[in-house]
Amino acid sequence: MSRIGKLPVECATDVKVSTNGNVITFAKGKNSVELDTKGNVAFTLDGNVLTFATLSDSRVHRAFWGTYRALAQNIVTGLTTGYTKQLEINGVGYRAAVNGKVLNLQLGFSHDINYELPESIEASVEKNVITFKSHDKQALGQVAAEVRGFRPPEPYKGKGVKYMEEHIVRKAGKTSKK
């Protein structure tokens, strides 16, 4: 049985929650996020408390039970506090700059990389640290993974783009024979 699915999702008073069939809509200010359960779980809304239940005792429905509860909690957390991810750029001549909704990266290639940011993502650059902020946890992780993928850190000198909390396992370089 899912232990996550049993927990209720408590929404803040400034987050408006509404249901329409199998779709749950969360709104706060100008941000609005929909969660489509596709009929895989039952849910009830009592005031600002959202609870989920399984449709049957099958393994698939129990998996959806915990998954949709976690997705709903992530949406509520994103709308109230938001999410951030930080990437660190290491390497001589490696730079980043933000121009509107375009992230300009200079990562040692012959041309700059101009990455168009999605609407829900805000980016800022301070020295060699890129900070992404968003209310959408999935989109934030996807953008951070794509930017890291342009130049993943290499194990010899640690050059490249890495997450701030990521630890790069370093390798020894060549040794000379004597």
Side-chain angles (χ1 to χ4, degrees), residues 49-146:
V49 177
L50 185 65
T51 55
F52 290 89
T54 60
L55 293 177
S56 71
D57 205 27
S58 72
R59 186 176 179 93
V60 174
H61 284 144
R62 285 185 286 133
F64 281 129
W65 182 30
T67 300
Y68 282 116
R69 189 266 172 206
L71 290 174
Q73 182 63 50
N74 287 343
I75 291 171
V76 170
T77 304
L79 289 174
T80 54
T81 60
Y83 292 103
T84 60
K85 280 226 184 248
Q86 291 185 320
L87 297 176
E88 183 181 5
I89 299 175
N90 293 320
V92 177
Y94 290 11
R95 284 191 260 331
V98 177
N99 298 327
K101 285 302 233 178
V102 176
L103 178 66
N104 181 287
L105 299 165
Q106 296 174 353
L107 298 175
F109 298 117
S110 60
H111 296 300
D112 294 355
I113 298 169
N114 291 318
Y115 183 78
E116 187 75 28
L117 294 170
E119 286 298 317
S120 62
I121 307 288
E122 297 175 11
S124 62
V125 177
E126 190 172 314
K127 292 191 180 185
N128 65 338
V129 176
I130 306 169
T131 304
F132 295 113
K133 294 180 184 173
S134 178
H135 63 86
D136 188 356
K137 188 174 185 178
Q138 189 276 331
L140 182 71
Q142 183 66 35
V143 166
E146 287 176 5

